[in-house]
């Protein structure tokens, strides 16, 4: 009897000890198995894994807001724990954007490494074809007379060098020829006498006057040898070209200095390109130029910049730049409009990123650098020269760092980039405004809704959804069209299917779905 009583008391003591162990384990959140192992022996307790220490809880939308205890954001999302030793606790990680890997794939995020590359800048401008001013010739008699005969009587007629244009009659010219003929004859008669010197001066003066009137040399020589006076004088083309102006008429009277013909050599022409003021610093004399004319869409003409004019048009804010072009076949006609591309900038490689990588708010330029899978760091950058597809980065990004070049705006909306940038820059977002709360209006955070598919246009990437109320936007139930962030989201969507989806505002009035999945609940239940 005594042994039985002793056994019952020992069993009761063991049961109380086990119960106390379970109670202590529950209060300290320790696994019961660990307590049991501890009671079994000290060696088992020392080999049990230690629980990770929670440092803090971070905002699920990437906002610079942390909490020492678990909590929910205004949209009902749980704050995410950050444990000791995780990358989130590393310096600078609080300013990074975190997006899940599957969300990154749905958004269509694409990255490209910043690299050294020659920008190959081009300055585009409109221009017009003009004749080379150095190749324009005016035929102007220097004496009074009458147009006796026209050999070329059509504007635009091509002429060869030395081809007769017209003949003129002038009483002054006839008198000057007779005067020279008499002086030449008297010089021969008075040869060797004292009067010969005076006659020589008279002959030279008459000859000089004929030469000053641009009388052809062969006509003057014939006059000196034969003494025969010609009634008319023939004017010839000084260059091979085209008659671009003709004022002479048969029988008309003309005065000294009156331009009767204009002949232009169109073997070389100018293109005067109007370069905008902001591009003027990139243009240099000697730079290559490519010219295209609407009349010849399959042809391009190559030339070079020969002169940058010193004046700027106050009305158009442009400066004329002269491009000299050879014109074989005279395809380029004066007055034609032209599209001009001018080579500009240096050929030396510079650190550059695609233009699509830059988020420009007008006051700040932000680039998203991929720090790790699903983590992006916004950096403010200083930009330099630009090309068609790339822009030079002077500060903010290093060579080889991957930058986001596609879906920047979706990352912005998905993670509330403005608040993240405001946290590290102290200026309240890349637009210069204060950090925006998570329950802000459309455009800076994603919105959730449920509804039923009304129509799907996979080719256009558009889906029409009859959705329920959207609490975050204060929208009532309605049917509207949404764009899909990428083509893969359209797979499996059929009219009538109930879905749950998230969407953002990419531009004012343009709503883009970033994720969509079948919904088991009532399709008209708003979020």
């Amino acid at each position: 009897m005594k042994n039985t009583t002793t056994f019952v008391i020992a069993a009761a003591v063991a049961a109380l000890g086990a119960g106390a162990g379970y109670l202590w384990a529950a209060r300290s959140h320790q696994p019961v198995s660990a307590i049991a192992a501890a009671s079994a022996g000290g060696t088992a307790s020392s080999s049990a894994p230690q629980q990770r220490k929670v440092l803090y809880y971070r905002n699920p939308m990437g906002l610079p807001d942390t909490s020492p205890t678990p909590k929910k954001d205004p949209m009902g999302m749980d704050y995410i724990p950050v444990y000791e030793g995780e990358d989130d606790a590393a310096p600078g990680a609080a300013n990074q954007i975190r997006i899940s890997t599957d969300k990154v794939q749905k958004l269509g995020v694409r990255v490209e490494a910043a690299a050294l590359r020659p920008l190959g800048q081009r300055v585009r401008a409109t221009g017009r074809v003009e004749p080379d001013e150095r190749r324009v010739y005016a035929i102007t008699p220097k004496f009074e007379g009458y147009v006796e005969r026209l050999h070329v009587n059509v504007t635009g007629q091509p002429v060869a060098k030395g081809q007769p244009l017209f003949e003129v009659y002038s009483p002054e010219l006839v008198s000057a020829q007779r005067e020279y003929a008499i002086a030449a004859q008297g010089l021969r008669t008075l040869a060797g006498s004292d009067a010969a010197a005076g006659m020589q001066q008279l002959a030279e003066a008459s000859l000089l006057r004929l030469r000053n009137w641009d009388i052809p040399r062969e006509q003057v020589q014939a006059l000196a040898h034969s003494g025969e006076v010609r009634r008319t004088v023939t004017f010839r083309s000084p260059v091979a070209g085209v008659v671009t102006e003709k004022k002479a008429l048969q029988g008309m009277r003309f005065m000294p200095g009156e331009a009767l013909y204009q002949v232009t050599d169109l073997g070389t022409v100018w293109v005067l390109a109007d370069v905008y003021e902001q591009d003027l610093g990139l243009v240099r004399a000697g730079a290559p130029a490519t010219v295209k004319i609407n009349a010849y869409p399959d042809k391009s003409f190559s030339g070079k910049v020969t002169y940058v004019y010193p004046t700027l048009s106050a009305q158009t804010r442009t400066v004329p730049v002269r491009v000299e072009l050879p014109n074989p076949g005279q395809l380029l006609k004066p007055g034609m409009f032209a599209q001009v591309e001018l080579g500009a900038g240096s050929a030396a490689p510079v650190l550059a990123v695609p233009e699509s990588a830059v988020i420009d708010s007008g006051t700040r330029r932000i680039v998203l650098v991929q720090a790790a899978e699903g983590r992006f760091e916004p950096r403010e950058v200083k930009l330099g020269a630009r090309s068609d597809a790339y822009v030079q980065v002077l500060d903010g990004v290093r060579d080889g760092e991957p930058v986001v070049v596609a879906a920047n705006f979706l990352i912005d909306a998905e993670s509330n980039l403005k608040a993240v940038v405001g946290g590290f820059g102290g200026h309240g977002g890349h637009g210069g405004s204060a950090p925006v709360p998570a329950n802000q209006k459309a455009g800076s955070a994603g919105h959730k809704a449920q509804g039923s598919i009304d129509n799907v246009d996979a080719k256009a990437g558009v889906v029409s959804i009859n959705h329920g109320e959207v609490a975050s936007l204060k929208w009532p139930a309605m049917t509207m069209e949404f764009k899909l962030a990428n083509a893969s989201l359209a797979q499996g969507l059929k009219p009538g299917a109930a879905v749950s989806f998230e969407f953002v505002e990419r531009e004012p009035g343009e709503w883009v779905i970033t994720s969509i999945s079948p919904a088991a609940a009532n399709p008209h239940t708003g979020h």
Side-chain angles (χ1 to χ4, degrees), residues 430-498:
H430 62 271
S433 58
V436 185
N439 59 353
Q440 61 182 348
K441 297 183 72 174
S444 42
H447 308 280
K448 296 182 179 180
Q450 291 185 336
S452 61
I453 302 294
D454 187 61
N455 185 38
V456 179
D457 187 349
K459 186 176 181 180
V462 176
V463 59
S464 177
I465 300 180
N466 181 15
H467 65 77
E469 296 182 359
V470 182
S472 59
L473 292 172
K474 298 182 180 179
W475 281 1
M478 67 177 108
T479 302
M480 61 182 292
E481 288 188 346
F482 296 86
K483 289 189 176 182
L484 299 173
N486 55 69
S488 63
L489 295 178
Q491 297 179 359
L493 298 183
K494 296 181 180 180

Side-chain angles (χ1 to χ4, degrees), residues 45-112:
S45 176
S46 61
S47 63
Q50 296 183 356
Q51 185 182 17
R52 291 188 301 170
K53 180 181 179 181
V54 177
L55 298 179
Y56 56 88
Y57 295 84
R58 63 174 176 83
N59 188 284
M61 298 299 292
L63 294 173
D65 180 29
T66 61
S67 172
T69 58
K71 61 181 290 189
K72 295 181 179 292
D73 70 355
M75 298 186 67
M77 300 176 66
D78 293 327
Y79 272 49
I80 301 173
V82 177
Y83 296 96
E84 185 177 17
E86 287 189 348
D87 291 341
D88 294 55
N95 295 326
Q96 293 178 354
I97 301 165
R98 302 167 184 83
I99 299 178
S100 62
T101 305
D102 60 336
K103 184 82 69 174
V104 168
Q105 294 176 352
K106 290 181 180 179
L107 295 178
V109 177
R110 186 164 51 87
V111 299
E112 181 177 330

Side-chain angles (χ1 to χ4, degrees), residues 18-374:
Y22 278 101
L23 179 61
W24 177 78
R27 291 182 178 180
S28 61
H29 304 281
Q30 296 291 332
V32 176
S33 58
I35 304 302
S39 63
T43 57
S45 176
S46 61
S47 63
Q50 296 183 356
Q51 185 182 17
R52 291 188 301 170
K53 180 181 179 181
V54 177
L55 298 179
Y56 56 88
Y57 295 84
R58 63 174 176 83
N59 188 284
M61 298 299 292
L63 294 173
D65 180 29
T66 61
S67 172
T69 58
K71 61 181 290 189
K72 295 181 179 292
D73 70 355
M75 298 186 67
M77 300 176 66
D78 293 327
Y79 272 49
I80 301 173
V82 177
Y83 296 96
E84 185 177 17
E86 287 189 348
D87 291 341
D88 294 55
N95 295 326
Q96 293 178 354
I97 301 165
R98 302 167 184 83
I99 299 178
S100 62
T101 305
D102 60 336
K103 184 82 69 174
V104 168
Q105 294 176 352
K106 290 181 180 179
L107 295 178
V109 177
R110 186 164 51 87
V111 299
E112 181 177 330
L116 294 173
R117 54 172 54 88
L119 289 184
Q121 295 171 271
R122 307 288 290 178
V123 173
R124 292 183 173 85
T126 58
R128 60 202 174 277
V129 179
E130 298 285 351
D132 187 340
E133 295 175 359
R134 300 165 298 184
R135 298 172 180 263
V136 179
Y137 299 86
I139 292 85
T140 306
K142 298 178 181 178
F143 49 84
E144 182 183 351
Y146 299 87
V147 177
E148 188 80 4
R149 181 183 177 186
L150 295 177
H151 294 282
V152 175
N153 199 19
V154 179
T155 302
Q157 179 176 339
V159 294
K161 184 177 182 179
Q163 179 177 337
L165 297 177
F166 61 100
E167 296 180 13
V168 301
Y169 162 73
S170 172
E172 291 181 332
L173 180 60
V174 173
S175 298
Q177 291 182 81
R178 285 177 179 173
E179 182 180 330
Y180 175 72
I182 294 172
Q185 183 179 2
L187 183 61
R188 288 192 297 269
T189 302
L190 299 174
S193 64
D194 296 338
M199 192 60 67
Q200 177 69 28
Q201 292 179 357
L202 179 60
E204 290 178 355
S206 300
L207 180 61
L208 182 61
R209 181 162 58 166
L210 291 174
R211 289 175 176 172
N212 289 340
W213 281 349
D214 294 334
I215 304 303
R217 178 178 298 179
E218 61 273 11
Q219 186 170 341
V220 173
Q221 292 176 349
L223 177 63
H225 285 87
S226 64
E228 181 182 356
V229 176
R230 295 185 58 179
R231 183 176 179 275
T232 61
V233 174
T234 300
F235 283 82
R236 300 176 182 274
S237 174
V239 67
V242 176
V243 176
T244 52
E245 189 174 338
K246 184 189 79 70
K247 294 182 179 179
L249 300 174
Q250 188 80 28
M252 70 172 287
R253 179 187 179 187
F254 59 85
M255 301 301 293
E258 184 176 355
L260 301 182
Y261 277 79
Q262 179 176 285
V263 179
T264 304
D265 178 8
L266 296 177
T268 300
V269 294
W270 290 349
V271 173
L272 299 183
D274 296 321
V275 176
Y276 285 103
E277 184 178 2
Q278 62 266 25
D279 297 329
L280 190 60
L282 301 174
V283 180
R284 297 287 185 273
T290 302
V291 177
K292 290 192 175 182
I293 306 294
N294 292 336
Y296 315 110
D298 57 336
K299 294 181 179 293
S300 61
F301 303 87
S302 299
K304 65 178 182 178
V305 176
T306 57
Y307 186 65
V308 179
Y309 284 78
T311 56
L312 179 140
S313 171
Q315 289 76 23
T316 61
R317 310 305 302 174
T318 58
V319 174
V321 172
R322 181 197 303 163
V323 177
E324 189 171 329
L325 294 175
N327 188 23
Q330 298 186 2
L331 296 178
L332 301 176
K333 317 293 185 184
M336 280 183 166
F337 285 106
Q339 289 81 42
V340 185
E341 286 190 0
L342 306 176
S346 172
V350 296
L351 182 62
V353 297
E355 276 199 339
S356 60
V358 181
I359 303 174
D360 193 341
S361 69
T363 58
R364 304 176 73 181
R365 283 83 182 170
I366 302 297
V367 168
L368 296 179
V369 178
Q370 187 181 42
E373 190 71 24

